[in-house]
Amino acid sequence: MFDKLEGIAKRQEQITEELTKPEVVSDQNKFRKLMKEQNDLAPIVEAFKEYKECKETIEDSLMILEEESDDELKEFAKEEMNTAKARQAELEDELKILLLPKDENDDKNVVVEIRGGAGGDEAALFAAELYRMYCMYAESMKWKTELVSLNENGLGGFKEVVFMVNGQGAYSKLKYESGVHRVQRIPVTESGGRIHTSTATVAVMPEAEEVDVEIDMNDCRFDVFRASGNGGQCVNTTDSAVRLTHIPTGIVISCQDEKSQLKNKDKALKVLRARLYELELQKKQDEESEARRSQIGTGDRSEKIRTYNFPQGRVTDHRIKFTSHRLGQIMDGSIEEIIDNCIAADQAAKLAKVE
């Protein structure tokens, strides 16, 4: 591990040197690439530097304990050594995590699809509440959300909603949300006061760039139509909505949020890229199924990941056996604790595999 860390420290020095060269500064693509690599390496180099400082402190303290006769100085050295040892152990654990292979998609924006599942209108209402939860979480993270398409049920619920979340590290956090979310509560339409169970599926996909997925426009069919539902001025009066059909896969995407047909077309293509990229990722993960099983869930939208029990005010994440009784706050977007626990469990599983 320490040989690898020395190599990373040397690599950062090389990058710093390269970034001062005029030919690199003038090549914006290369400059951005090196800057990103430097930023990625910085936390590892900083932690390793502190680790080495702790090691030096321990060595200096041992020397004082062996050679000095002053009791007060020896006591001070002993305290310094114990503090450095404790911090060194913490840094060793941090460095192991920092050296884990990074998901290349972690820094990407995401496309999120939420669909009402079993439970009819109640499932659609729950899907709408999940959408609100993610929008509030994104706001707390200073991320931007952008609606792509919405299919309402007329009662305030969403049969389907597709939206984008743009922000640093959006995928690194939200990727743990893919799967089936289950709600247990008494629906407003239930006169007998019985608790019903309904579901909604969530799919979180990294936004794919044109370099990630190449789309042959001959494989795409675009149909335009008049937007329906709650639209702004002009949205419902012009043929601005777009339906994109990807012929080879049969994927159909409708986008009607924008007043401009061109903007809706652009959004639809972004969603298509994300879906095609997700198919490729899934194919790769299936080939590495054993490694995938060691992580938290499969990311499959058919996997039940979480239950929201309203009568008990409880939320349980089944993958990591985590339960919180802060249901109200969670539905208001306070999902950081659940996500942090998923990340910790994922890292622990990966570390166990490495060790």
Side-chain angles (χ1 to χ4, degrees), residues 15 52 74 79 102 120 127 168 180 183 216 241 274 284 295-296 301 333:
I15 293 169
K52 288 196 287 188
K74 286 173 83 170
E79 281 178 23
K102 194 182 175 191
Q168 183 67 33
V180 175
V183 62
D216 186 344
K284 189 179 175 185
Q295 295 172 33
I296 302 305
R301 65 188 75 182

Side-chain angles (χ1 to χ4, degrees), residues 112-143:
V112 184
E113 297 178 345
I114 304 173
R115 292 182 176 84
D121 288 336
E122 171 64 8
L125 286 168
F126 180 51
E129 288 173 79
L130 288 177
Y131 170 66
R132 175 181 173 272
M133 179 182 84
Y134 291 127
C135 286
M136 291 184 79
Y137 173 64
E139 190 180 340
S140 74
M141 298 295 290
K142 304 290 189 289
W143 296 336

Side-chain angles (χ1 to χ4, degrees), residues 99-116:
L99 286 174
L100 285 173
K102 194 182 175 191
D103 187 332
E104 61 185 15
N105 296 310
D106 274 354
D107 292 330
K108 291 188 176 180
N109 300 326
V110 297
V111 174
V112 184
E113 297 178 345
I114 304 173
R115 292 182 176 84

